[in-house]
Structures are given as structure tokens and as C-alpha cells.
């Protein structure tokens, strides 16, 4: 039982924020593709897939960072960094969760199954990117947003339309913005150990560039709303999302680790606001 507890901490079941941040864009896509509530089987497959893929991503992330995490204040108590599980065990957890995710995808159509292979590739490679370039947050954005074209193919059985790719791009930019806030918490440690991030790349312009990403995200979501002929509920949701974006800018104004983490966590409510707006709009 103790080992299972360590595995649960490895995949961050005690910190579900990543599940939420992956779930909301997935639900955006499913509702828009289905023009309302999607087929129950498809909905359940994607919700389970969100939990499994986020958990798998955490496992491979900690494996990739096994030499780094012990030197970062926020991550040194993670099970792998603390020596409570072995690197082989972390890889095993990743493999099992990846296989379970693929088996889930087999319940969907062939095009969606093919796209799911890209999802696994993105999830498996993301944690290693911080060693090669300063844009691992963009790579994470692509990994999180890939559920969007998958959702459209699952619902329609066809290649995703323009609106799906606009939504995909919005999710990539949104993820890059909030994960830069997250990276601001570790910037000093990351500089010491030599790993890369957008927080380091942006430097003194971090707040400005996060703001640009937030504005572009909202503009793309507005474009999606126009193309999908969405009404007042959706636009109110976007208005709330805009307000939360301003609040996040206020939180990171001094670039302090704890408020930056709070700004990152606040994006759960932003994603929820957009979804509730969508759901209300299609319901009425």
C-alpha cells in the first residue's frame, strides 16, 4: 500500500490541477464538435483519457527530471527525487498508463486512433525539451491541446475543420501563458542548474509577453465563437476569462514565486468559465 501511495504521488493524483487544465480544452472541443452534449461513450473515453495521459505525463516528467528535481526546492520531495521509487518503476508506470490510454482510444474511430499516437509522442517527449530549447511550455501546449483535434475526429469521423485548429492554437497559447507563470516559480533554481524555460527566455519582459499570449488566446476564442455562431452564454464566459486574465497579471506583478503559482492555479477557473459559457449557450 505504501508503494501505491508513492505511485499516486508520482502521477500527482494529490494535485489534480493538471487534470483540470487538460480537461477544459478537451470539453470545449467536444461540445463545439457535437454542437452540444457529445455522445456519452465518447465523453467518458475522453475524460478517462485526460486522467490517464496527464498521469503518464507526470511519470515521464519525473523520470526525465530525476537528476534535476533533488536540486529544486519545490520538487525535491517528489517520490522519485526523494528515492522512494526507482527510475525503472517510474518508466513502468508511464508504460502502463500509456497502454491503458491507447486501449481506451481503440473504442473510437480509426482516425482518432491514429491521432492518439501523436498524443503519446508529444507527452513522452515534452519533459526532455527543457534541455534543448527555451520553449518547453509551447511543447506542453501542443501536448495538452492535441486532445482538441482528437475530439473533433471522434465526434465527426472527419479531419478537423478550421475552427478546431483555431481552438487548438488558442489552447497552445493559453498553456504557454500559464506554464510560464508556473516556470516563474522555479526561475532562480532553473538558472542555477541550467534548464531552459519561457520564463528565462522572456526575462524582464515576462509579464508583457504573458499578457500578449493571454490577449491572443482570447481573440482566438472569440474567432471560434464567431465561426461557431455561439451566443450570449459563450461571450459572457469569455468576459469572465478576460477578467481572470487581468487578475492573473495582478498576481504576477512582483514576480514572486507563491503569487505566480496562484496565478497558474487560477487558470483552472478560466478554463471552467469558457466551458460553462459554452455549455449554457448550447443548452439554451
Amino acid at each position: 500500500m505504501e508503494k501505491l501511495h508513492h505511485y499516486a504521488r508520482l502521477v500527482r493524483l494529490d494535485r489534480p490541477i493538471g487534470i483540470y487544465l487538460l480537461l477544459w480544452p478537451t470539453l470545449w472541443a467536444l461540445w463545439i464538435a457535437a454542437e452540444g452534449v457529445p455522445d456519452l461513450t465518447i465523453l467518458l473515453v475522453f475524460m478517462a483519457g485526460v486522467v490517464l495521459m496527464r498521469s503518464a505525463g507526470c511519470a515521464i516528467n519525473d523520470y526525465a527530471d530525476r537528476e534535476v528535481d533533488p536540486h529544486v526546492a519545490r520538487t525535491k520531495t517528489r517520490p522519485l527525487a526523494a528515492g522512494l521509487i526507482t527510475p525503472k518503476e517510474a518508466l513502468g508506470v508511464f508504460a502502463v498508463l500509456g497502454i491503458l490510454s491507447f486501449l481506451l482510444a481503440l473504442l473510437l474511430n480509426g482516425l482518432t486512433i491514429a491521432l492518439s499516437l501523436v498524443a503519446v509522442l508529444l507527452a513522452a517527449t515534452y519533459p526532455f525539451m527543457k534541455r534543448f530549447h527555451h520553449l518547453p511550455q509551447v511543447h506542453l501546449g501542443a501536448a495538452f491541446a492535441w486532445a482538441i483535434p482528437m475530439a473533433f475526429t471522434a465526434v465527426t469521423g472527419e479531419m478537423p475543420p478550421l475552427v478546431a485548429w483555431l481552438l487548438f492554437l488558442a489552447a497552445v497559447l493559453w498553456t504557454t501563458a500559464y506554464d510560464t507563470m508556473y516556470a516563474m516559480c522555479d526561475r532562480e533554481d532553473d538558472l542555477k542548474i541550467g534548464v531552459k524555460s519561457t520564463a528565462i527566455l522572456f526575462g524582464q519582459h515576462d509579464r508583457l509577453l504573458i499578457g500578449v499570449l493571454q490577449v491572443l488566446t482570447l481573440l482566438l476564442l472569440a474567432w471560434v465563437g464567431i465561426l461557431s455562431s455561439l451566443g450570449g452564454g459563450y461571450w459572457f464566459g469569455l468576459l469572465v476569462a478576460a477578467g481572470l486574465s487581468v487578475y492573473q497579471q495582478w498576481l504576477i506583478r512582483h514576480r514572486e514565486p507563491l503569487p505566480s503559482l496562484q496565478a497558474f492555479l487560477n487558470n483552472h477557473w478560466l478554463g471552467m468559465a469558457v466551458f460553462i459559457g459554452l455549455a449554457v449557450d448550447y443548452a439554451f
Side-chain angles (χ1 to χ4, degrees), residues 47-58:
M47 292 182 71
V50 162
V51 176
L52 289 172
M53 285 305 298
R54 187 265 183 165
S55 299
C58 289

Side-chain angles (χ1 to χ4, degrees), residues 5-256:
H5 174 69
H6 296 327
Y7 290 160
R9 286 187 57 225
L10 171 72
V11 301
R12 316 277 203 278
L13 290 183
D14 57 329
R15 297 182 179 181
I17 180 64
I19 293 174
Y20 302 147
L21 292 174
L22 179 54
L23 177 65
W24 295 125
T26 304
L27 294 181
W28 301 347
L30 287 170
W31 253 253
I32 292 174
E35 297 184 352
V37 181
D39 175 80
L40 182 60
T41 299
I42 292 174
L43 177 61
L44 292 176
V45 165
F46 272 88
M47 292 182 71
V50 162
V51 176
L52 289 172
M53 285 305 298
R54 187 265 183 165
S55 299
C58 289
I60 195 64
N61 181 79
D62 284 12
Y63 174 80
D65 288 348
R66 64 194 183 281
E67 305 295 337
V68 172
D69 282 350
H71 305 288
V72 178
R74 187 179 51 80
T75 60
K76 64 183 180 181
T77 59
R78 288 177 177 174
L80 187 53
L84 300 173
I85 61 174
T86 67
K88 285 186 178 179
E89 286 177 302
L91 280 179
V93 170
F94 170 74
V96 169
L97 293 172
I99 291 168
L100 289 174
S101 299
F102 183 69
L103 291 176
L104 263 182
L106 294 179
L107 298 172
L108 305 172
N109 58 51
L111 186 54
T112 311
I113 293 169
L115 290 181
S116 73
L117 299 175
V118 178
V120 173
L121 180 64
L122 288 168
T125 53
Y126 153 70
F128 299 94
M129 293 301 105
K130 66 185 74 172
R131 289 153 183 78
F132 301 109
H133 60 72
H134 281 92
L135 299 172
Q137 283 69 31
V138 178
H139 195 108
L140 177 67
F144 269 34
W146 195 251
I148 291 171
M150 286 181 61
F152 273 84
T153 60
V155 171
T156 66
E158 301 174 350
M159 285 300 292
L162 173 62
V163 69
W165 295 111
L166 292 174
L167 198 61
F168 171 83
L169 183 56
V172 171
L173 296 178
W174 178 45
T175 306
T176 303
Y178 68 62
D179 205 50
T180 301
M181 298 173 193
Y182 191 57
M184 289 168 70
C185 304
D186 298 332
R187 180 156 42 194
E188 298 308 315
D189 286 325
D190 287 348
L191 283 167
K192 291 175 185 175
I193 57 185
V195 298
K196 301 174 175 66
S197 72
T198 46
I200 293 172
L201 177 66
F202 293 169
Q204 64 181 350
H205 304 296
D206 49 5
R207 288 185 59 209
L208 171 63
L209 292 174
I210 288 171
V212 170
L213 291 169
Q214 290 172 315
V215 169
L216 289 174
T217 298
L218 292 167
L219 288 174
L220 284 167
L221 289 175
W223 193 357
V224 167
I226 292 168
L227 291 179
S228 303
S229 301
L230 295 170
Y234 180 72
W235 295 105
F236 182 76
L238 279 195
L239 183 63
V240 173
L244 290 171
S245 297
V246 173
Y247 173 61
Q248 292 161 19
Q249 280 288 326
W250 182 81
L251 285 172
I252 64 173
R253 67 195 184 284
H254 297 309
R255 301 177 173 88
E256 296 170 342

